[in-house]
Amino acid sequence: METAQLISEIKRKKSFLCVGLDTDMDKIPAHLLKEEDPIFEFNKAIIDATQAHCVAYKPNIAFYEAYGIPGWKSLQRTMDYLNTNYPEQFTIADAKRGDIGNTSTRYAKAFFETLHFDSITIAPYMGRDSVEPFLAFEDKHTILLALTSNPGAFDLQTKSVGNSQLYKEVLKVSTNYKNAERLMYVVGATKAEYLAEIRTIVPNSFLLVPGIGAQGGSLEEVCRFGMTKDVGLLVNSSRGILYASNERDFASVAKQKAIELQLQMKEQMEKL
Amino acid sequence: METAQLISEIKRKKSFLCVGLDTDMDKIPAHLLKEEDPIFEFNKAIIDATQAHCVAYKPNIAFYEAYGIPGWKSLQRTMDYLNTNYPEQFTIADAKRGDIGNTSTRYAKAFFETLHFDSITIAPYMGRDSVEPFLAFEDKHTILLALTSNPGAFDLQTKSVGNSQLYKEVLKVSTNYKNAERLMYVVGATKAEYLAEIRTIVPNSFLLVPGIGAQGGSLEEVCRFGMTKDVGLLVNSSRGILYASNERDFASVAKQKAIELQLQMKEQMEKL
């Protein structure tokens, strides 16, 4: 998907909500467990219920990989369902991959070609030749970890590097990568106070912001410091939507939660 | 596998060779392509031919993931074959995963429990709570990226951090992680000159060293600076062994290449 199409969807729906599909067999409603593919059935119901209110879906790949081959089948079916029924949705493989050149190309093929994702999250530690193989794919997007939402983010990401800090160095060096216009960045909502500085380095790039809700970040703060004229944000919610109910009404409760967030987003967009 | 068992295998075989299973359909002998599962048949032949001369196998997960579900099936069959027939081999999932806590636990389950690997490579960027979920598994090992063998390693890993450099900071902070005794580290053979300094920070830890041969690193230098009294090294070769021939004799040529490396390793071990 081209960035222009993503922006146009955001403006049309007045939403920059990304629904994280962290689908966990231990948390989904019990009645689904007798289905042949409970993970897919859960995802399908969540997608049908929330798609009018969000612009992106982000399967967390670990949750599928943990179940082995059946998990990969559920992921493939989820992606086929999304791409067939809601091709206007931006899809994110939250995979945090990254390796030397020829290996990164393999990961890129896995997610962009085999599974038909629009984008993938990538760890920056191995540098340019670990990221550029992903950037080589046209109309695909590479979402580089900059400042993550977890406590361990302070272990390395905020360490001083010269006059700067590691996460800023990641942002800076990445802007020189080939096809850097296909980059987006992960910035945790719990680090909203850093967004103003981040915007001085990457003023227009899309930021994928996890950590609203369950992890404690504030939407209002994220928007105040991070929003651009084209919004430039995808704010993710996973558990707060998926597991708002674990009864038979889970999809309609998820829809209500998505609407609540979408209305808050609309309010923020009206300030633009 | 316990570290003591790995050390005992290294001493018994006079080898610290790890064979990287970067199995690529475009490079394997043409006659295998008519098999039902060419990747598994290739791996099986390579394993049978080389197992007497190496102590570890390292499937590069991207190469399997790129083929989608059939690729994961080949990986599962390869791991079942290894664990059934050669349980004394140390197995490494070269996966370079890492995410926030509950997600890292999922990746750990995928590789340690579903696929029964002994160890996994992990990217350090997200810090403590992204690594410790892997370290929580008993008799399993977490191999943290420190200094990789690719050119992009200089983008971030060697950046000055205070009086130190990022890769040293990674080593230092990781030694305080819970269950740090289960840590090993990736140090590229192309960076052998850094090994003396690395050994001042992690004097006894096992180092997984890729980049011998195809990527240009020297075994002799790696051993001079990196070897401990218990060897403390796993040196990987992938392409140099796997694709030494792409004819019907590929397995016996691979065996010869493995023996060549093993004899060089024996010579280095005799200096201990």
Side-chain angles (χ1 to χ4, degrees):
Chain A
M1 185 186 292
E2 287 178 30
T3 310
Q5 195 189 335
L6 174 60
I7 295 168
S8 133
E9 282 298 300
I10 289 171
K11 290 184 175 173
R12 184 173 73 82
K13 288 182 169 168
K14 304 211 180 306
S15 172
F16 43 97
L17 177 62
C18 172
V19 176
L21 298 171
D22 299 20
T23 308
D24 181 345
M25 292 270 239
D26 296 337
K27 288 189 183 156
I28 68 178
H31 73 277
L32 290 177
L33 297 177
K34 54 181 185 294
E35 301 283 342
E36 195 206 323
D37 185 346
I39 293 179
F40 172 68
E41 295 302 333
F42 178 81
N43 286 352
K44 180 174 173 297
I46 291 286
I47 291 164
D48 287 339
T50 56
Q51 58 82 26
H53 316 289
C54 69
V55 295
Y57 287 98
K58 180 174 75 64
N60 183 332
I61 304 306
F63 283 71
Y64 302 85
E65 206 166 287
Y67 298 116
I69 289 155
W72 283 95
K73 284 188 183 161
S74 304
L75 179 62
Q76 178 84 62
R77 291 183 74 187
T78 301
M79 286 306 296
D80 290 348
Y81 188 76
L82 270 170
N83 284 323
T84 305
N85 296 283
Y86 309 108
E88 73 283 6
Q89 291 286 344
F90 185 74
T91 52
I92 303 168
D94 197 358
K96 303 195 172 72
R97 301 296 195 259
D99 208 311
I100 62 169
N102 71 329
T103 302
S104 274
T105 298
R106 300 267 154 179
Y107 281 126
K109 280 178 194 279
F111 290 100
F112 292 156
E113 293 184 349
T114 305
L115 287 162
H116 298 286
F117 275 95
D118 291 312
S119 66
I120 182 174
T121 57
I122 297 297
Y125 191 71
M126 293 181 69
R128 176 188 291 267
D129 57 299
S130 71
V131 180
E132 286 183 342
F134 294 96
L135 292 172
F137 287 72
E138 213 169 331
D139 288 341
K140 301 291 183 181
H141 304 265
T142 300
I143 312 180
L144 205 58
L145 300 185
L147 194 55
T148 56
S149 57
N150 61 316
F154 297 109
D155 267 18
L156 298 168
Q157 296 166 25
T158 52
K159 279 261 154 54
S160 295
V161 174
N163 299 324
S164 185
Q165 282 175 290
L166 182 59
Y167 77 94
K168 290 189 217 167
E169 202 59 29
V170 167
L171 293 170
K172 276 181 211 159
V173 301
S174 72
T175 60
N176 294 317
Y177 290 167
K178 191 173 175 190
N179 298 311
E181 71 281 3
R182 295 174 188 156
L183 280 170
M184 301 180 174
Y185 301 93
V186 174
V187 179
T190 52
K191 310 287 187 301
E193 68 273 24
Y194 294 84
L195 278 165
E197 282 211 68
I198 288 169
R199 280 299 184 206
T200 66
I201 310 170
V202 288
N204 301 313
S205 303
F206 261 88
L207 306 180
L208 170 63
V209 184
I212 288 283
Q215 293 177 51
S218 141
L219 179 67
E220 198 274 329
E221 277 206 12
V222 166
C223 294
R224 189 180 345 144
F225 299 115
M227 198 180 266
T228 69
K229 68 172 173 33
D230 284 327
V231 182
L233 296 171
L234 287 170
V235 170
N236 183 73
S237 176
S238 302
R239 284 166 280 175
I241 291 176
L242 302 187
Y243 307 122
S245 159
N246 70 351
E247 304 295 327
R248 283 181 186 271
D249 64 353
F250 73 99
S252 64
V253 178
K255 182 189 176 82
Q256 282 315 310
K257 291 287 168 189
I259 291 173
E260 275 171 35
L261 280 167
Q262 184 267 320
L263 290 174
Q264 292 172 37
M265 290 176 178
K266 178 169 178 275
E267 199 181 310
Q268 296 297 328
M269 284 176 71
E270 281 163 0
K271 295 182 186 170
L272 276 178
Chain B
M1 185 186 291
E2 286 177 31
T3 310
Q5 195 188 337
L6 173 60
I7 294 169
S8 134
E9 282 298 300
I10 288 172
K11 291 184 174 172
R12 184 173 72 83
K13 287 180 171 169
K14 301 209 182 308
S15 172
F16 44 96
L17 177 61
C18 172
V19 175
L21 298 171
D22 300 19
T23 308
D24 181 345
M25 292 271 239
D26 296 338
K27 289 189 183 158
I28 67 178
H31 74 276
L32 290 177
L33 297 178
K34 54 181 186 294
E35 300 284 341
E36 194 206 322
D37 185 346
I39 293 179
F40 172 68
E41 295 302 333
F42 179 81
N43 286 352
K44 180 174 173 298
I46 291 285
I47 290 165
D48 288 339
T50 56
Q51 58 82 26
H53 315 288
C54 69
V55 294
Y57 288 97
K58 180 175 74 64
N60 182 333
I61 305 305
F63 282 70
Y64 302 85
E65 206 166 287
Y67 297 117
I69 289 155
W72 283 95
K73 283 187 183 164
S74 304
L75 179 62
Q76 178 83 63
R77 291 182 75 187
T78 301
M79 286 307 295
D80 290 349
Y81 187 76
L82 271 170
N83 284 324
T84 304
N85 295 283
Y86 308 109
E88 72 283 8
Q89 291 286 343
F90 185 75
T91 52
I92 302 168
D94 197 358
K96 302 193 172 74
R97 302 294 196 261
D99 207 310
I100 62 169
N102 71 329
T103 302
S104 275
T105 298
R106 300 268 155 177
Y107 282 125
K109 279 177 195 280
F111 290 100
F112 293 155
E113 293 183 349
T114 306
L115 288 161
H116 297 286
F117 276 95
D118 291 312
S119 66
I120 182 174
T121 58
I122 297 297
Y125 191 71
M126 294 181 69
R128 176 189 290 265
D129 57 300
S130 71
V131 180
E132 287 184 342
F134 294 96
L135 292 172
F137 286 72
E138 213 169 331
D139 289 340
K140 302 291 182 180
H141 303 265
T142 300
I143 312 179
L144 205 58
L145 301 185
L147 194 56
T148 56
S149 56
N150 62 316
F154 297 109
D155 267 18
L156 297 169
Q157 296 167 26
T158 52
K159 280 260 153 59
S160 295
V161 174
N163 298 324
S164 186
Q165 282 175 292
L166 182 60
Y167 77 94
K168 289 189 217 167
E169 202 58 29
V170 166
L171 293 170
K172 276 181 213 160
V173 300
S174 73
T175 59
N176 295 316
Y177 290 167
K178 193 174 176 188
N179 299 310
E181 70 281 4
R182 295 174 188 155
L183 279 170
M184 301 179 173
Y185 301 92
V186 173
V187 179
T190 52
K191 310 286 187 302
E193 69 272 26
Y194 294 84
L195 278 165
E197 282 210 70
I198 287 169
R199 280 299 184 203
T200 66
I201 309 171
V202 288
N204 301 312
S205 303
F206 261 87
L207 306 180
L208 171 63
V209 184
I212 289 283
Q215 294 177 50
S218 141
L219 179 67
E220 197 273 330
E221 275 205 14
V222 166
C223 293
R224 190 179 346 143
F225 298 114
M227 199 180 267
T228 68
K229 68 172 174 33
D230 284 327
V231 182
L233 296 172
L234 288 170
V235 170
N236 183 73
S237 175
S238 302
R239 283 166 280 176
I241 290 176
L242 302 187
Y243 307 122
S245 160
N246 70 351
E247 304 295 325
R248 283 180 186 271
D249 64 354
F250 73 98
S252 64
V253 178
K255 181 188 177 84
Q256 281 315 309
K257 291 287 168 188
I259 290 173
E260 276 171 34
L261 280 167
Q262 184 267 320
L263 289 174
Q264 292 172 36
M265 289 176 179
K266 178 168 178 277
E267 198 180 311
Q268 296 298 328
M269 284 176 70
E270 281 163 0
K271 296 181 186 171
L272 277 179

